[in-house]
Amino acid sequence: MATSVMATSCARQPSYKSSQKIIKRYFKKYGKKYQETVYGSSKIGSVEVISQQEIHKDLVAIQAFITLEDGTVRRVHVTVEDGPTGWRFLSWENAS
């Protein structure tokens, strides 16, 4: 019984809440570095994860909506990787 509980607790995808946190943190840094972009001119309001799909072990594709404080909504595709210290942001693509 203990082995079955341990096997189910190992997630191959981040939780939706964790994905939101990773995306929001990345775009805050991105906006500071590239202030002339949409993400630099308006702060990130919220992130809503639409779907997550495992590409292969330790690599997940995420579709999300980013709502900026000025009311603009952007759709993005994000790729995250499970590294030795947790999930990390790899790449993104604007899908708007």
Side-chain angles (χ1 to χ4, degrees):
M1 169 126 175
T3 56
S4 65
V5 172
M6 290 178 59
T8 59
S9 67
C10 299
R12 289 181 53 138
Q13 293 186 20
S15 67
Y16 276 57
K17 189 174 181 178
S18 178
S19 297
Q20 290 172 344
K21 186 177 175 182
I22 291 166
I23 294 169
K24 190 170 186 174
R25 183 175 53 222
Y26 176 81
F27 280 101
K28 277 185 177 181
K29 289 180 183 179
Y30 184 87
K32 287 180 183 178
K33 187 172 182 179
Y34 301 104
Q35 294 180 359
E36 67 279 353
T37 65
V38 175
Y39 305 105
S41 60
S42 182
K43 294 187 179 197
I44 305 297
S46 64
V47 175
E48 180 184 346
V49 174
I50 301 166
S51 67
Q52 292 186 156
Q53 182 179 3
E54 183 177 24
I55 298 171
H56 64 78
K57 185 180 177 188
D58 299 334
L59 195 63
V60 175
I62 303 170
Q63 291 184 17
F65 284 119
I66 298 174
T67 305
L68 305 174
E69 287 185 348
D70 66 358
T72 307
V73 177
R74 299 287 179 167
R75 185 176 179 177
V76 293
H77 297 291
V78 175
T79 306
V80 294
E81 176 184 43
D82 189 15
T85 58
W87 291 96
R88 67 185 182 128
F89 197 98
L90 280 182
S91 65
W92 71 281
E93 178 181 329
N94 188 6
S96 295

